[in-house]
Amino acid sequence: MDKLKLLIADDEKNIREGLKCILDWESLGYKICGEAANGKDSLQQIFDLNPDLIIHDIKMPGCSGIDVISQTAEHCKKNNLPFPAFIILSGYSDFDYAQKAINNGAKAYLLKPVDEEELLKKVKEITEEILLQKKQQESSKNNELFETKDIISKIFLTNNYENLENINRLKFFENAETSSYQVIICNFEYKKNINLINFENSIDNYFSFFNKVLINQAERYYIILKTSNEMAVKNAVIRTAKLQIEKTFITIGKMGQGLKGLLDSYKNALENEKYLFFFSDIPYVSDEEINTVHKDSNINDFDNIINNLIFCIETYDKNQLEKIKKEIKDLTFNIKENETNIKRTFIYCLVELRFRLVSKYPEREISDGNTYDVVKKLMNYNNFTGMFECFCKILDDFIENFNFNTSDSVIVKVLAYIKTNYASDLKLENLGELFNCNSAYLGKKFKKYTGVQFNTYLDNLRMEIAKDKLLNTDLKIYQISKLVGFSNTDYFFMKFKKNTGLTPKDFKKQVEDEKNNN
């Protein structure tokens, strides 16, 4: 148990020092929290420190001991605080003052000089009373808290705040009609392996200035606040969330007035829980965050996307695969969509992708890679980011496994490399070294697979890209020449005319004239 607090007030320093040493206060369960040399100072320290026991001289400069007792009683009544125990010190001539002090609530008075045994006896008697009073107060406080929690739970469970009798006697529901309430829900389904003791300590720490009720039920921890300071609430939640990294698991309901506002805030926080799946790096989810990221999208039609994925896998086009991944993420990150539906969409995409590949290439042994038990794997994720990263890893395995150890796998990878690096100085010799095969063998395989020689394929690819740049950009011809891999513009002109029968300028004009005529 925490030590009781003792305040010593006397205008004579030697008496104050003597009182600090006359008894072994620590063994009696006390710590000296302050001392005062005048009445005004003692009053201020009483208000600030809330001592349990005060040894006070009856005659003090600025404010007498009786006035201190009287004003302390008013302060405690006004702020609903327990009244501290007073031991009054007086001389023989102050007997009438001492009687007034007793009448005003002092527990005892002692004559100066103070007798050690008499003081010890009084302190022990008073300490027993203080501890009993604290025990009763704690019991009463626990009973009130239990009743308050029970009422809040009934409101949440029955979805009804009416016909609640005589609840204004409970501190949390005093002036409920004009008070503001706010509900915060911490959902531990989204926060695995949490240390509940540390978490509760952080709640007590960061919400210490709020009138609050804490309810722990199954996988949820409810923080119910009676406050009108919405910004202070958000700051406290942010500080709490920083101690629990990795996953967003807190939702905040709108602040509302009265018991209806309390219920509405609970409903709002509960409704926001379904959006926790989409968030991993923000302290909490509220209407503000939801409105910021909400967008409508259609995740129903994935057939075209699957066909594009198959083409990427067949051609080992990793760059295009990354673009399709982004397209899928943009389509599926829709917080208004049901979490289960989104997971099913990803599962359908992977299962259908494998089915179509196996149907198209029955002779191939297509390794499942990470698609083994894909349903369980994806359904177990409680956040969009982790699930999407798993999905992308499976796609990466598909493209590698499909093109691993087949007769044409090297050529497929060479073609994918050429499409990405067509502007570089590409030669069969360099590609042979890069893909660990003989350049002559690579040249033969290349012609067999594509139907043309390597240099012809590269020239045709560069010319197609050059045509696109000519028709769809404002780039100069010399700029396009460099972009497609020709450092010499004259050589580019020669190759272009050989490919099209026209100069670049004439080609562009001819295409534009055909468009205009049409």
Side-chain angles (χ1 to χ4, degrees), residues 449-474:
Y449 189 88
T450 63
V452 295
Q453 299 284 355
F454 166 75
N455 288 331
T456 303
Y457 179 89
L458 181 59
D459 285 345
N460 290 340
L461 175 64
R462 286 171 169 174
M463 289 305 111
E464 290 304 313
I465 295 169
K467 291 174 191 177
D468 180 69
K469 301 290 183 187
L470 274 169
L471 299 175
N472 298 303
T473 71
D474 293 327

Side-chain angles (χ1 to χ4, degrees), residues 47-90:
F47 295 168
D48 291 342
L49 302 173
N50 296 320
D52 299 291
L53 174 61
I54 301 163
I55 301 178
H56 208 292
D57 189 13
I58 200 162
K59 283 188 174 180
M60 293 276 281
C63 187
S64 72
I66 295 172
D67 290 333
V68 169
I69 295 173
S70 177
Q71 290 186 46
T72 298
E74 289 179 11
H75 171 77
C76 291
K77 184 178 180 181
K78 181 180 178 182
N79 294 280
N80 195 26
L81 296 169
F83 182 66
F86 277 87
I87 295 178
I88 294 298
L89 306 181
S90 70

Side-chain angles (χ1 to χ4, degrees), residues 223-245:
I223 307 170
I224 302 99
L225 304 174
K226 184 180 183 181
T227 179
S228 58
N229 193 336
E230 202 162 4
M231 185 55 67
V233 173
K234 288 183 177 181
N235 288 337
V237 173
I238 289 170
R239 289 195 294 272
T240 303
K242 282 181 179 177
L243 301 176
Q244 310 295 333
I245 58 174

Side-chain angles (χ1 to χ4, degrees), residues 19 30 33 56 118 143 171 182 225 246 276 302 307-308 333 351 355 361 378 398 403 419 453 470-471 484 496 509 514:
L19 288 170
Y30 287 89
C33 65
H56 208 292
E118 188 177 6
N143 289 338
K171 184 178 179 182
Q182 190 164 20
L225 304 174
E246 295 174 2
L276 287 172
F302 255 62
N307 288 332
N308 291 338
F333 190 89
V351 172
F355 174 77
Y361 299 94
L378 293 186
F398 259 127
N403 292 288
K419 288 176 183 177
Q453 299 284 355
L470 274 169
L471 299 175
V484 298
F496 193 92
K509 185 177 184 304
E514 288 175 357

